[in-house]
Amino acid sequence: MKHIQPFQVFPIIPEPLSFLDTLSRNLWWSWQNDAKELYKRIDPKLWEKSEQNPIVFLTNTPKERLEELAVDGSFLAHQKRIRDNFVISVLQKLDKPDSPFQHNDNIAYFSMEFGIHECIPLFAGGLGVLAGDHLKAASDLMLPMTGVGLLYKHGYFRQFLSQDGMQQEEYPETDLYKIPVEKALDLSGKSLYVTVNGPNGNIRARVWKLSIGRIPLYLLDTNLPDNPPEIRDITANLYPANQNKRLAQEVLLGIGGMRALAGMGIFPSVVHLNEGHSTFAGIERIAQIISKHNVDYKTALEIVPRSTVFTTHTPVIAGHDVFPAEIVKPYLESYKEELETSEKEILSLGKPAWKDSEGQFSMFILGLRMAQYCNGVSELHGSVARKMWSHVWPGKPVDEIPISHITNGVHVPSWISYEISLLLDRYLGTGWNKHPWDPAIMNRIDGIYDEELWHVHEMNRTRLIRKCRELMIKQYEKRNTPKMIMNDVESVLDQDALTIVFARRFATYKRSHLLFMDPERLESILTSKTHPVQIIFAGKAHPKDQEGKDLIKFVIRFAQKPELRHHLIFLENYDINTARILVQGADVWLNTPRRPFEACGTSGMKAAINGGLNVGILDGWWCEGYSEERGWRIGKGEEYFDSEYQDNVESQALYNVLTDEVIPCFYDKKSNNYSQVWLSKMKESMKMAMQNFCSHVMVSNYTKHCYVSSAENNRNLLLNSAAEARAHSLQRERLRSLWKLIRIEPPKRKDQGPFRVGDTVNVSTEVFLGEIIPEEVDVQVYYGRIHSVDSVTDGKSEGMIVEENLGNGCYIYSCAITCSDTGRFGLTARVIPKGDDWIKNTQDFLTWA
């Protein structure tokens, strides 16, 4: 059938309850416990049956029930309380006199996926959930942010398991009428569409709007009746395996996303690229700046990177998209004229720096060349990323590679249990969740009575076990399981046993197999009569990852042993709802990645804010979060060359931690029905996670270290017809033409030593700058402990000054460095350009003695 005209019929909602419909259209409700309780109050069973989707829920609520509530004073008072909060939190005009942003500033946050709530299927895993938490925190903090993503027809897959434990995938179609999207409008008030050039004709997409509190999230959708099937299919699935389709998605996200913003009159002062998928946005932004501000390509190249933030989320090289340059060319064809530059010049922006990279186009490299502010997502990951990408800056010390870190955080109101939240309201005050990083507030957790905290935690664990039983019954019913086994399934898990959760993506480096390397020892741990333990597994493997699927299959088969059926289970279709229940009810959150491949990991943070204790490898965020007062570590952060040996060592370390420390601590109940040491660790874990690893802290760090300076750069560089940017461009061209002539002699020490702590070492060197003048460069002594004959560690630099002008572009530079520590040190000298970080980190502008 063709030319079908869609329309939607909404339920009649009595006028006194009209706010219920307004509330359902903004996902602000998803992180407001009071709002969710309001819907639940109408009909708790229907609320659960509707999968906590208020649009579906209101559609199915009987008219008589709504009319009854329309005259219920208690319900209307509850609704008014939420409406008043909604007005203040969402609708009230931004007017923060202390805001570092100006009224027209806007931060555009691009991501391939957004995990806001389980009823919005726009996410695959941690990257998307992190992006969703980012937008929620930005709304809470009243930042001028706009999200940009894609609207998927099928989204990521739903997982179900065959009888033998093999993962199967299904892709249910997203029903747009069950999610609160509305058509985005252009400046004339018409539905907004964008067009991007493709290899087989134009790619046309409709733009939708999703409201996340104060933050609008714009989503591009190619599933239009007028598009040919291959174009409609571009936004069919998240992360398609087909390389051409994946490239088309990333072009649409980056280029189409920027055009969608322009169509609404939004020209962001800051662009934040969440992973490399969206980095084509930088090329389109260059074109927009050229057109809007009448500058040339090289001048625009000075503006865009200085106001762009690029976050990388994985140290796994396969996680970074690289495409053949030949299939990228058609998408960039039109830019030759728009940018007035060559195809080769444009493609060079994404040309990898590694050997044998001819003919390749790297989205990560494009991101690096489009952003002054680059960061990993934990302290360790920042270090790993600097080593991983050091080849892009040959000759630069690894410690100076311009990739910093901002550790991820989780949105506390979205993940904390209702019961824990109510408990904290009583002890911390009702506004605590607006300032979870404040130690003056969080330290009040110490004053919570142990009995109360333990009682609430047991309620959460009980709910977890009840939900697990419900999910297991559904799983086994679909497989037509014999009644005898179904009877067992209905009573899996024990209300009082130590409950360990391992829930995450089933990739090999996550090492779910570590627990099973000594099956007999694991069985003895699980089936102890005095100190029983139970483990809940959940997670998806990528559809193309056979090794990951085999790991799931192994867990399923192990769990099918009759003696273990009550102690070890695997939950299908791990999603936000399942994750929420798991993190709220777990006693222990287990994480066993192969260091250093876990960039951050945020699920353990979510467990911690609910009082769960982490047991994990010192990788990702746990390197920063761990202390013996709040959890346990597996190993001491060692890294190995032999992965098989590493697995053997760390699996034994895991068993030892469980049997020698975790289990005895949990069951050390003495006269109480809880362990006081365990309760103490729970409180420390909660304080640690909320103060240091909440998304409000994360977004505040992005604001402080990236967004404010990016917005200032954007404003300043565009002032006076982009005068400053034009000056940067001219200076760069001058340095590029003259830099290769620079020579610097090995530095000479005026004092030969020996030296003692506190002594100074006077150093000088002769530098030939040619036509470059001293005001254009920094000459530095670089020194540190000798690591090998040609490198130093923990290097430091000390600026040198001109001591003598020898004429003809030759200068003597000198300085003195202080001996602050004992040991064997080495020094050399170098020349770098003067200026901001973007010019200082230019690949070719570095000359060593």
Side-chain angles (χ1 to χ4, degrees):
M1 292 180 285
K2 296 183 178 180
H3 307 298
I4 296 175
Q5 299 296 314
F7 66 97
Q8 188 169 6
V9 180
F10 295 99
I12 296 174
I13 297 178
E15 178 56 32
L17 303 181
S18 60
F19 176 68
L20 290 176
D21 185 57
T22 301
L23 182 62
S24 72
R25 303 286 161 185
N26 189 310
L27 283 156
W28 176 83
W29 66 263
S30 70
W31 70 91
Q32 306 296 322
N33 280 321
D34 204 20
K36 287 185 278 188
E37 287 300 308
L38 182 70
Y39 284 120
K40 191 184 294 184
R41 185 171 174 175
I42 298 171
D43 187 335
K45 290 184 178 178
L46 181 59
W47 177 245
E48 291 302 318
K49 187 178 178 181
S50 303
E51 297 180 335
Q52 300 188 30
N53 183 333
I55 292 178
V56 175
F57 175 71
L58 290 175
T59 301
N60 293 323
T61 301
K63 178 184 175 185
E64 295 75 19
R65 177 58 177 155
L66 294 174
E67 289 174 346
E68 180 184 321
L69 291 167
V71 293
D72 183 329
S74 174
F75 185 86
L76 293 175
H78 188 171
Q79 180 185 248
K80 182 181 184 302
R81 183 172 71 239
I82 295 163
R83 183 175 60 234
D84 292 346
N85 190 11
F86 182 78
V87 169
I88 294 170
S89 302
V90 177
L91 302 182
Q92 202 169 73
K93 190 176 180 181
L94 280 174
D95 186 21
K96 294 175 65 179
D98 59 340
S99 173
F101 299 102
Q102 295 188 1
H103 74 280
N104 60 341
D105 282 336
N106 189 279
I107 305 157
Y109 184 90
F110 284 73
S111 183
M112 186 63 90
E113 50 176 305
F114 287 91
I116 313 293
H117 186 264
E118 56 267 27
C119 68
I120 313 290
L122 303 175
F123 64 96
L127 175 71
V129 174
L130 182 281
D133 281 6
H134 198 108
L135 296 192
K136 292 173 185 177
S139 176
D140 293 339
L141 295 169
M142 299 184 179
L143 289 187
M145 183 172 284
T146 300
V148 183
L150 301 180
L151 181 65
Y152 302 101
K153 180 180 178 182
H154 297 287
Y156 206 53
F157 69 91
R158 287 190 180 178
Q159 176 200 54
F160 64 97
L161 302 172
S162 65
Q163 199 73 261
D164 65 349
M166 182 54 70
Q167 173 179 290
Q168 311 292 314
E169 299 93 24
E170 59 182 4
Y171 295 86
E173 187 168 340
T174 301
D175 187 344
L176 290 186
Y177 299 107
K178 291 182 179 179
I179 60 177
V181 290
E182 57 182 291
K183 294 176 182 177
L185 305 178
D186 62 20
L187 292 173
S188 65
K190 297 178 181 178
S191 294
L192 177 61
Y193 294 84
V194 296
T195 302
V196 175
N197 295 337
N200 301 311
N202 288 338
I203 298 171
R204 189 165 181 262
R206 184 201 297 274
V207 185
W208 300 90
K209 178 185 175 184
L210 195 62
S211 295
I212 320 295
R214 289 179 174 273
I215 309 298
L217 169 57
Y218 294 103
L219 304 167
L220 282 69
D221 171 24
T222 61
N223 187 26
L224 305 176
D226 296 338
N227 277 340
E230 64 274 12
I231 300 298
R232 295 182 68 168
D233 208 33
I234 290 173
T235 56
N237 298 99
L238 179 55
Y239 301 132
N242 180 282
Q243 191 178 48
N244 290 285
K245 190 189 295 185
R246 186 148 177 165
L247 174 61
Q249 272 191 359
E250 299 188 5
V251 168
L252 179 65
L253 174 61
I255 296 175
M258 284 299 301
R259 290 179 181 175
L261 294 177
M264 294 176 285
I266 300 172
F267 295 94
S269 44
V270 182
V271 169
H272 188 163
L273 307 170
N274 192 40
E275 253 316 340
H277 312 115
S278 56
T279 52
F280 281 119
I283 295 177
E284 172 61 20
R285 193 169 175 222
I286 288 172
Q288 290 182 8
I289 286 175
I290 288 172
S291 173
K292 186 175 172 63
H293 298 282
N294 193 30
V295 298
D296 61 14
Y297 170 66
K298 290 181 178 177
T299 300
L301 259 180
E302 298 296 332
I303 300 169
V304 168
R306 286 180 167 91
S307 54
T308 300
V309 183
F310 175 41
T311 299
T312 173
H313 286 264
T314 177
V316 180
I317 195 68
H320 301 286
D321 291 329
V322 178
F323 299 105
E326 282 301 314
I327 71 171
V328 176
K329 283 180 184 178
Y331 293 103
L332 304 180
E333 183 73 28
S334 63
Y335 285 108
K336 290 190 296 185
E337 186 175 334
E338 288 183 68
L339 307 186
E340 295 185 356
T341 190
S342 67
E343 178 183 87
K344 183 179 179 182
E345 181 76 17
I346 300 170
L347 287 171
S348 70
L349 294 172
K351 184 179 178 182
W354 53 77
K355 292 181 180 178
D356 304 320
S357 63
E358 195 62 40
Q360 296 180 354
F361 190 94
S362 165
M363 298 299 287
F364 185 90
I365 296 296
L366 177 62
L368 285 181
R369 292 178 179 147
M370 282 288 129
Q372 175 174 326
Y373 303 90
C374 300
N375 70 280
V377 289
S378 70
E379 184 177 7
L380 177 61
H381 179 225
S383 174
V384 171
R386 286 189 288 276
K387 293 174 186 174
M388 186 174 174
W389 300 102
S390 60
H391 61 272
V392 179
W393 292 271
K396 200 171 189 68
V398 170
D399 289 347
E400 293 185 349
I401 298 299
I403 301 175
S404 63
H405 83 275
I406 292 177
T407 302
N408 284 342
V410 300
H411 189 248
V412 173
S414 294
W415 296 102
I416 199 163
S417 82
Y418 181 55
E419 293 79 8
I420 291 280
S421 184
L422 287 178
L423 184 67
L424 296 183
D425 283 349
R426 283 186 21 232
Y427 280 90
L428 277 59
T430 53
W432 69 267
N433 57 5
K434 295 180 180 178
H435 308 280
W437 58 87
D438 186 345
I441 296 174
M442 285 302 115
N443 286 340
R444 296 176 198 163
I445 288 175
D446 292 332
I448 299 175
Y449 284 114
D450 288 351
E451 295 89 342
E452 287 191 73
L453 179 56
W454 187 248
H455 174 65
V456 168
H457 177 66
E458 286 192 310
M459 290 171 62
N460 288 330
R461 193 195 316 124
T462 298
R463 182 171 57 244
L464 164 61
I465 291 169
R466 184 176 68 247
K467 189 66 176 180
C468 285
R469 289 172 179 172
E470 290 174 8
L471 293 172
M472 291 293 286
I473 289 169
K474 289 179 182 178
Q475 288 177 201
Y476 277 78
E477 281 178 343
K478 284 190 294 186
R479 303 175 200 162
N480 293 314
T481 302
K483 187 175 181 180
M484 183 180 68
I485 296 179
M486 285 300 297
N487 291 336
D488 268 350
V489 169
E490 291 171 0
S491 58
V492 295
L493 306 180
D494 181 343
Q495 302 279 5
D496 300 314
L498 172 61
T499 303
I500 299 174
V501 175
F502 183 99
R504 53 193 30 86
R505 186 162 54 90
F506 263 69
T508 51
Y509 77 87
K510 303 278 189 179
R511 295 196 299 176
S512 59
H513 66 277
L514 215 60
L515 262 173
F516 300 93
M517 293 191 69
D518 188 340
E520 291 182 3
R521 191 170 181 187
L522 177 59
E523 285 188 37
S524 70
I525 291 172
L526 294 175
T527 57
S528 169
K529 299 297 183 185
T530 56
H531 297 149
V533 176
Q534 54 200 15
I535 305 177
I536 302 168
F537 282 87
K540 297 176 178 178
H542 188 278
K544 300 293 182 182
D545 182 4
Q546 189 57 48
E547 286 184 278
K549 290 183 177 183
D550 288 341
L551 289 172
I552 292 175
K553 188 175 181 179
F554 178 85
V555 175
I556 297 295
R557 288 187 169 181
F558 194 88
Q560 287 173 344
K561 294 182 178 182
E563 62 273 21
L564 297 180
R565 196 172 286 142
H566 281 253
H567 303 278
L568 194 153
I569 66 170
F570 188 101
L571 300 179
E572 290 180 0
N573 199 40
Y574 184 45
D575 64 5
I576 288 179
N577 184 45
T578 308
R580 192 184 298 114
I581 294 164
L582 291 172
V583 299
Q584 291 174 0
D587 294 313
V588 167
W589 198 264
L590 180 62
N591 193 23
T592 56
R594 189 184 308 285
R595 178 181 163 119
F597 291 108
E598 182 81 279
C600 181
T602 56
S603 58
M605 302 173 186
K606 295 162 191 165
I609 64 175
N610 286 287
L613 302 185
N614 279 267
V615 174
I617 299 291
L618 290 177
D619 196 9
W621 80 281
W622 193 227
C623 294
E624 299 165 57
Y626 166 75
S627 80
E628 62 183 15
E629 294 84 17
R630 58 178 76 125
W632 292 272
R633 65 185 179 187
I634 303 167
K636 297 181 180 179
E638 303 91 344
E639 293 178 18
Y640 300 80
F641 292 107
D642 186 331
S643 58
E644 185 177 343
Y645 175 73
Q646 179 180 9
D647 289 355
N648 284 319
V649 169
E650 292 182 339
S651 67
Q652 291 304 311
L654 170 56
Y655 294 132
N656 292 340
V657 166
L658 291 177
T659 58
D660 298 346
E661 300 180 54
V662 179
I663 297 171
C665 182
F666 181 83
Y667 285 106
D668 182 24
K669 298 184 178 181
K670 296 180 180 175
S671 59
N672 303 309
N673 70 337
Y674 59 85
S675 163
Q676 287 184 319
V677 175
W678 192 275
L679 259 296
S680 174
K681 286 177 178 287
M682 285 177 64
K683 291 178 180 180
E684 289 299 321
S685 183
M686 293 168 70
K687 289 190 297 182
M688 169 271 296
M690 287 194 250
Q691 288 181 51
N692 302 321
F693 300 103
C694 71
S695 58
H696 294 82
V697 169
M698 172 187 71
V699 173
S700 296
N701 283 332
Y702 276 109
T703 301
K704 178 181 176 182
H705 299 295
C706 307
Y707 294 159
V708 172
S709 50
S710 290
E712 288 175 352
N713 287 346
N714 189 68
R715 284 195 297 272
N716 294 336
L717 290 166
L718 291 173
L719 279 176
N720 303 319
S721 302
E724 186 178 333
R726 294 177 196 273
H728 280 309
S729 176
L730 291 173
Q731 177 66 2
R732 186 180 297 275
E733 287 306 301
R734 170 176 161 79
L735 292 177
R736 199 178 297 283
S737 66
L738 298 174
W739 195 269
K740 58 182 176 290
L741 301 176
I742 290 177
R743 296 191 307 275
I744 178 170
E745 296 298 319
K748 298 176 181 178
R749 300 199 313 265
K750 293 181 180 177
D751 316 291
Q752 295 306 309
F755 302 100
R756 300 192 181 277
V757 173
D759 289 349
T760 57
V761 182
N762 294 288
V763 183
S764 65
T765 184
E766 183 176 328
V767 183
F768 176 73
L769 297 177
E771 294 181 32
I772 294 175
I773 59 175
E775 288 75 17
E776 295 177 288
V777 297
D778 278 324
V779 178
Q780 301 173 334
V781 166
Y782 184 81
Y783 65 100
R785 294 184 183 278
I786 290 180
H787 179 62
S788 64
V789 293
D790 56 359
S791 67
V792 299
T793 58
D794 301 321
K796 299 178 182 178
S797 60
E798 186 74 37
M800 306 182 79
I801 59 173
V802 177
E803 185 178 289
E804 183 179 357
N805 183 345
L806 301 178
N808 296 320
C810 282
Y811 303 86
I812 299 293
Y813 277 79
S814 65
C815 74
I817 57 177
T818 302
C819 301
S820 57
D821 204 353
T822 59
R824 184 165 172 76
F825 294 83
L827 62 81
T828 184
R830 64 184 181 185
V831 184
I832 61 173
K834 262 189 169 61
D836 63 8
D837 287 346
W838 188 241
I839 191 73
K840 285 180 178 179
N841 289 313
T842 300
Q843 179 180 329
D844 299 325
F845 297 167
L846 172 64
T847 299
W848 290 96

